Amino acid sequence: MAYTVKTFNLSRKFGDFTAVDKINLTISSGEVCGFLGPNGAGKSTAIRMLCGILKPSSGKAEVLGFDVEHESEKIKPLIGYMSQKFSLYNDLKVRENLDFYAGIYSIPVRERKKRIEEMIVLAGIEGEEDALVASLSPGIKQRLALGCAIMARPALIFLDEPTSGVSPTARRQFFNIIQELAAAGATVIVSTHFMDEAERCDKIAFFHQGRLLALDSPDQLKKNLDGYLVKLDLPDPFNQIETLKSLPFVNECSFHGLSLHLLLNHRDCIEELYKVTGVKPLGLTPNLEDIFINLLRQQDKEERRELP
């Protein structure tokens, strides 16, 4: 299979600090891949390497068939890139911003008007063409920024935390556009810390402390959970969580709102838990937060085994 993005032990260090640690990715054409993890997990550094902006310290990566270290200038014209700080010109109108970026991407003059109209429709900003950017809502600015970033119809689109600071409704609208782009054949890599966005990705790359903990579809990641997940509502959960964690049949225990999610060794342990707490646990379908906590536990176990 030909991959749009393929990496082999890709790493980046800044002095003694390892920002990205030997990650191995394979992302196919037409996929939306979510880079998920906390701030400082290595998501943005990985994207900057794949864009050809930052050279790897070690390892290799191919993007659209080109080596990121030695052929970065061939990659840059073929990709679109947008971050939460994407530059729009507030003192220009919407159409003027689009026209400016059409020039940046060398869109031929005879095609420019048609391409700008295409971006206006795609971004869902019809009727705002003559508005000053400074007057727009954050959600409309965000969609305009995406239209500017993909003006050249790139085969690969990088979106680095693009939905920070906008409403949940605006985030959903934005993600609808992302999925339309993927359906048309573009590959999209989007870094996020929003679990609801990650659920809509074809594939998720979980990052933590520079490492890639897992790379798979949301459904497959949930199937791979090593245990049986339950929800427990206790009258005083804060004072009971440490006791629950110490039970031999409890793999994990964490807060989700005022409820506790417990990962049991197997389903048969429900009765044992009921005997301890006096409260009937409810079986749960795991969400991505549960998956992430489980992956962290697995990584911790592996690191302990590696210690002398």
Side-chain angles (χ1 to χ4, degrees):
M1 179 186 289
Y3 294 104
T4 301
V5 173
K6 188 173 183 179
T7 73
F8 177 74
N9 287 344
L10 187 67
S11 302
R12 173 69 196 199
K13 290 188 175 183
F14 296 96
D16 294 332
F17 175 68
T18 302
V20 174
D21 189 6
K22 297 178 182 177
I23 64 170
N24 293 289
L25 290 165
T26 52
I27 303 170
S28 302
S29 176
E31 282 188 326
V32 179
C33 182
F35 281 15
L36 189 62
N39 291 336
K43 306 185 300 293
S44 294
T45 301
I47 284 177
R48 289 169 66 198
M49 283 193 284
L50 295 175
C51 286
I53 298 170
L54 194 63
K55 285 197 172 186
S57 300
S58 62
K60 294 182 179 180
E62 284 188 6
V63 171
L64 297 167
F66 298 107
D67 182 278
V68 296
E69 184 170 5
H70 304 293
E71 299 176 293
S72 62
E73 293 308 311
K74 294 180 181 178
I75 294 169
K76 290 173 185 176
L78 303 176
I79 63 175
Y81 174 79
M82 175 188 164
S83 73
Q84 63 188 95
K85 297 179 181 178
F86 188 92
S87 295
L88 292 172
Y89 294 90
N90 286 323
D91 55 344
L92 295 180
K93 297 177 180 179
V94 167
R95 190 182 296 276
E96 290 171 335
N97 268 272
L98 289 164
D99 187 59
F100 174 79
Y101 277 96
I104 292 288
Y105 287 113
S106 302
I107 307 299
V109 175
R110 64 183 179 276
E111 294 180 22
R112 198 168 293 185
K113 183 177 179 181
K114 181 180 177 184
R115 188 70 61 85
I116 289 171
E117 292 301 325
E118 181 184 320
M119 294 300 108
I120 288 170
V121 172
L122 176 70
I125 52 177
E126 301 98 320
E128 303 286 351
E129 295 92 333
D130 295 321
L132 282 174
V133 166
S135 70
L136 300 176
S137 69
I140 294 177
K141 283 183 180 180
Q142 173 203 56
R143 300 201 303 273
L144 172 60
L146 178 62
C148 292
I150 63 172
M151 180 66 68
R153 295 176 182 159
L156 175 59
I157 304 163
F158 292 96
L159 306 172
D160 192 4
E161 299 281 359
T163 58
S164 296
V166 300
S167 70
T169 300
R171 289 198 289 110
R172 284 193 296 271
Q173 291 172 337
F174 188 85
F175 229 83
N176 289 341
I177 298 170
I178 291 174
Q179 291 181 312
E180 287 176 20
L181 293 168
T187 304
V188 183
I189 295 175
V190 54
S191 72
T192 182
H193 53 268
F194 294 113
M195 298 292 175
D196 59 327
E197 289 184 350
E199 287 275 6
R200 298 180 66 180
C201 295
D202 300 304
K203 186 180 283 185
I204 298 171
F206 273 110
F207 283 81
H208 181 66
Q209 296 181 347
R211 294 188 179 184
L212 182 64
L213 300 185
L215 177 68
D216 216 327
S217 69
D219 287 345
Q220 194 58 48
L221 286 166
K222 292 172 186 178
K223 289 176 184 175
N224 291 341
L225 193 69
D226 60 341
Y228 185 74
L229 188 71
V230 297
K231 175 184 175 183
L232 195 61
D233 291 308
L234 296 175
D236 189 13
F238 296 97
N239 289 327
Q240 299 192 53
I241 188 169
E242 293 304 322
T243 300
L244 293 171
K245 283 182 178 179
S246 68
L247 295 173
F249 53 85
V250 173
N251 292 332
E252 294 165 15
C253 183
S254 59
F255 280 106
H256 289 252
L258 294 177
S259 298
L260 293 170
H261 285 198
L262 292 86
L263 186 65
L264 309 180
N265 287 341
H266 47 77
R267 187 169 184 165
D268 295 343
C269 298
I270 285 181
E271 288 303 319
E272 295 178 65
L273 183 62
Y274 176 64
K275 290 175 184 176
V276 173
T277 64
V279 176
K280 192 70 174 178
L282 298 175
L284 278 181
T285 300
N287 59 34
L288 291 178
E289 190 173 350
D290 296 314
I291 300 300
F292 187 58
I293 292 170
N294 185 52
L295 289 169
L296 289 179
R297 182 180 66 86
Q298 290 176 350
Q299 183 191 38
D300 185 57
K301 284 172 64 177
E302 289 173 9
E303 289 175 350
R304 288 181 183 182
R305 279 199 295 266
E306 291 172 3
L307 292 174

